[in-house]
Amino acid sequence: MPPSSLRVVYAFAREMHPKTTDIFIQYGTAGFRTKASLLEHVVYRMGLLAVLRSRCKNGRTIGMMITASHNLEPDNGVKLIDPDGEMLEESWEGIATRLANVSDNDLESTTAQIIKEVNADMALKASVYIGMDTRYTSPRLAAAAVHGVMALKGTAKEFGIVTTPILHFCVKCRNDNTYGTPTEEGYYEKIVGAFKSIRQKLPVCGNYNTTLYVDGANGVGGKKLNIIKKTLDGELDLVLYNLGGNGGKLNLNCGADFVKVSQKPPVGVEHVPYQRVASLDGDGDRIVYYFVDDSNNMQLLDGDRIATLFASYITELLKGCDATHLRLGLVQTAYANGASTKYITENLKIPVTCVKTGVKHLHHAALSYDIGVYFEANGHGTVVYSDVTKSTIAKVAQEGDTEQRKAAQLLLSFIDLTNETVGDAISDLFLVETVLCARGHDVRQWMETYNDLPCRQLKVTVEDRNVFKTTDAERKCTSPELLQERIDALVSSYTCGRAFVRPSGTEDVVRVYAEADAQESAVKLAEEVAQAVYDLAGGVGDRPTVSA
């Protein structure tokens, strides 16, 4: 592209999408995420970057999703999706941060520098898919994304309001037509079609019932399930709550993140003792389950529980296929409950890999296995299958004996039901329902597999999160000095104690996680660690208190 064209880009940006803040905005584990009022110039510039990324990938399609996921409605965000439906390559995150923060006056020269650095062939065609969530600020930001794509002569295709996983799916399909059709309808055809197919092979039995309550977080996932509900032909009776009507606010006192962090059921949902409830997050990429007991106490079935459910069922099917030589592994983060890790390694005999927080880290680690199950405790995760796995199981489905073929056909349907590109609340919901139906289990039987250690999460506001450095998959803090020593001393006084701290990827807060043998102890340990962070690492505001 000639210099004169870049000058047009620069002039257009200054006029239509000017940089109006000096606040530094960083591309984190899930892209940019902050107050929506700060993002218009960022999203425009990410449109430019998406075009460059497409050209560096030989014109393959790149995705742009406008969402702040589980954040409350005043926030918004943008993230880029790579050609295989994965998160943006980590080496480009710094480039994205740099481009987002330069002044309007330096945008032209910085864009030219990046073009040279990444060796983008500006003569190639470029394709960008754009989706958005239900926030009232999303249409304006999506328009800025389109302007950015068009400014560098890329082709933008808008999908309107979709879940984040649907856009990931469509990007993958556009670049690999063997995976599916790159449309929202193509997503339903593959995922819902696979669910109906597998349910026809599994009679309802035992304590399983086909009614499922769903908390839609007043976001896009619930809206899409409302469409899907009409096509399920009685295989699953979805009772939907928090669909955005009656004044319900996105993610406010509802949704997967609220349920997981607060350990409370969401508002807006009718509760019947022991009725299972699935809670989605605002953009439909996280899911947790829960139920309330006879005493109205909530019992949480989070990402760890979902991961162990999937891994144990896949192990059963592999044995039925006589394909146990395929390597199945499970990937977790430091937030995984210690009891789940012990159950996976000691009871299921499945290897566990622990990685840094961020789905891209889990996804890449999962690819090292023939079958990789990965989940964050917050309910974001999926399963990935190697080509060798798919061909091996397909061969058994054709050539095995009767029982082997039956197991292989179930596993092939399970694979089709999986959105392998990213954590997907809708796909994961159908996978959970498949396993529970196959086993004839209700939520109490699911919960009985192991007992979680009590835990507590807190966050501490600090002057600068960038002073925090971690190692050992974020389980140990190497900076600030003396902080880890203090954490170790606190942990040593608690039975089954474990605690770690890590900086947020999007704001100046430090997240604290603690476990112990009793809930009161876990809470107190978390509070004591929060005080240590405040004292040794530049805490802001009121000092955290410790329960009596």
Side-chain angles (χ1 to χ4, degrees):
M1 178 174 287
S4 59
S5 296
L6 288 180
R7 282 195 289 274
V8 171
V9 171
Y10 162 67
F12 187 86
R14 183 167 61 182
E15 179 179 351
M16 297 293 294
H17 307 290
K19 186 174 184 288
T20 58
T21 177
D22 291 328
I23 296 174
F24 183 80
I25 304 174
Q26 186 170 349
Y27 198 105
T29 54
F32 293 103
R33 191 175 299 174
T34 186
K35 298 300 179 186
S37 59
L38 304 177
L39 277 172
E40 189 169 330
H41 76 281
V42 174
V43 176
Y44 173 81
R45 296 170 184 204
M46 290 307 98
L48 305 178
L49 192 66
V51 171
L52 301 185
R53 183 67 176 163
S54 176
R55 288 179 172 141
C56 286
K57 290 293 184 178
N58 296 316
R60 299 177 79 200
T61 296
I62 299 296
M64 288 183 70
M65 184 67 196
I66 310 299
T67 184
S69 189
H70 56 278
N71 287 33
L72 295 179
E73 199 163 284
D75 291 348
N76 215 321
V78 59
K79 67 175 181 176
L80 270 60
I81 302 168
D82 263 352
D84 288 332
E86 300 178 6
M87 300 291 192
L88 178 67
E89 182 182 308
E90 193 168 3
S91 64
W92 277 63
E93 293 178 6
I95 298 173
T97 299
R98 178 173 143 212
L99 186 62
N101 288 283
V102 297
S103 68
D104 286 337
N105 289 336
D106 291 333
L107 180 60
E108 178 182 7
S109 60
T110 301
T111 303
Q113 289 167 6
I114 292 172
I115 290 171
K116 185 175 181 180
E117 287 172 13
V118 301
N119 196 28
D121 183 351
M122 301 303 285
L124 285 175
K125 292 182 179 180
S127 168
V128 181
Y129 281 4
I130 300 171
M132 62 181 178
D133 69 12
T134 56
R135 296 165 201 270
Y136 64 90
T137 56
S138 291
R140 175 173 56 83
L141 295 178
V146 173
H147 290 162
V149 172
M150 293 174 62
L152 286 183
K153 310 298 183 185
T155 299
K157 180 175 181 179
E158 296 184 79
F159 282 74
I161 295 174
V162 289
T163 67
T164 293
I166 287 177
L167 190 67
H168 279 258
F169 173 89
C170 291
V171 170
K172 168 72 171 177
C173 293
R174 177 65 179 83
N175 296 304
D176 176 7
N177 59 18
T178 67
Y179 193 70
T181 304
T183 62
E184 183 175 334
E185 293 72 20
Y187 171 88
Y188 298 146
E189 180 181 342
K190 181 173 183 179
I191 300 298
V192 180
F195 176 70
K196 291 163 69 174
S197 173
I198 201 170
R199 284 298 278 261
Q200 289 167 8
K201 302 181 182 78
L202 297 172
V204 176
C205 63
N207 294 320
Y208 179 78
N209 73 77
T210 59
T211 300
L212 173 67
Y213 289 8
V214 180
D215 160 29
N218 295 312
V220 61
K223 292 182 181 298
K224 300 307 181 185
L225 278 176
N226 204 24
I227 295 172
I228 291 170
K229 175 181 178 178
K230 302 166 187 175
T231 69
L232 292 177
D233 300 335
E235 297 294 349
L236 187 65
D237 178 20
L238 298 175
V239 183
L240 305 176
Y241 299 92
N242 293 333
L243 298 184
N246 301 319
K249 296 292 186 181
L250 181 69
N251 296 318
L252 181 62
N253 298 323
C254 61
D257 190 64
F258 172 81
V259 172
K260 171 64 178 173
V261 174
S262 72
Q263 302 283 301
K264 297 176 181 177
V267 300
V269 177
E270 174 190 349
H271 290 107
V272 176
Y274 301 106
Q275 170 61 50
R276 68 188 184 282
V277 187
S279 188
L280 284 56
D281 73 336
D283 69 329
D285 62 3
R286 294 185 183 186
I287 185 171
V288 297
Y289 274 67
Y290 73 90
F291 64 93
V292 296
D293 59 23
D294 291 324
S295 302
N296 208 35
N297 295 316
M298 190 192 82
Q299 305 294 329
L300 179 66
L301 295 146
D302 62 6
D304 296 337
R305 297 275 182 179
I306 296 171
T308 56
L309 188 75
F310 291 176
S312 61
Y313 184 62
I314 293 170
T315 297
E316 291 175 13
L317 293 180
L318 288 175
K319 289 178 180 177
C321 296
D322 193 24
T324 54
H325 61 283
L326 293 172
R327 294 181 61 250
L328 169 65
L330 202 148
V331 185
Q332 298 182 318
T333 72
Y335 286 106
N337 194 279
S340 74
T341 308
K342 183 177 181 181
Y343 173 75
I344 296 160
T345 55
E346 296 184 5
N347 292 71
L348 299 182
K349 308 296 184 184
I350 294 172
V352 173
T353 301
C354 185
V355 298
K356 292 196 302 182
T357 301
V359 176
K360 60 178 174 287
H361 303 301
L362 288 96
H363 188 93
H364 291 154
L367 292 173
S368 66
Y369 295 103
D370 292 316
I371 302 174
V373 180
Y374 71 83
F375 265 85
E376 294 184 300
N378 61 30
H380 196 160
T382 189
V383 188
V384 292
Y385 310 87
S386 69
D387 290 340
V388 170
T389 295
K390 293 174 183 177
S391 61
T392 298
I393 302 305
K395 185 175 182 180
V396 174
Q398 292 292 326
E399 301 177 3
D401 62 31
T402 301
E403 291 303 310
Q404 290 173 344
R405 288 200 306 272
K406 181 179 177 181
Q409 288 163 1
L410 281 172
L411 185 49
L412 287 176
S413 293
F414 201 82
I415 292 170
D416 280 342
L417 183 52
T418 308
N419 185 348
E420 296 182 63
T421 65
V422 73
D424 182 344
I426 293 175
S427 168
D428 289 339
L429 180 152
F430 287 135
L431 290 169
V432 168
E433 295 303 312
T434 294
V435 181
L436 294 179
C437 181
R439 291 178 169 172
H441 282 183
D442 60 14
V443 283
R444 281 176 284 194
Q445 290 167 294
W446 183 9
M447 179 65 81
E448 287 168 358
T449 51
Y450 63 86
N451 294 317
D452 277 319
L453 286 169
C455 63
R456 178 65 168 163
Q457 294 186 49
L458 298 173
K459 61 182 180 181
V460 183
T461 303
V462 295
E463 292 177 358
D464 181 9
R465 72 179 185 274
N466 293 307
V467 304
F468 284 80
K469 307 297 179 186
T470 62
T471 188
D472 188 24
E474 300 181 310
R475 290 176 288 191
K476 296 291 183 183
C477 185
T478 58
S479 175
E481 190 177 2
L482 302 180
L483 180 56
Q484 187 60 49
E485 183 179 330
R486 178 63 179 149
I487 293 171
D488 291 342
L490 292 169
V491 166
S492 66
S493 63
Y494 290 88
T495 302
C496 299
R498 181 171 77 94
F500 67 90
V501 301
R502 58 175 290 273
S504 166
T506 56
E507 53 184 329
D508 279 325
V509 301
V510 173
R511 305 193 187 281
V512 175
Y513 178 89
E515 288 178 357
D517 64 332
Q519 188 62 47
E520 297 81 3
S521 298
V523 170
K524 190 173 181 181
L525 175 57
E527 292 169 344
E528 290 174 345
V529 172
Q531 284 189 335
V533 170
Y534 184 94
D535 294 341
L536 298 173
V540 174
D542 295 335
R543 186 173 187 262
T545 58
V546 174
S547 304

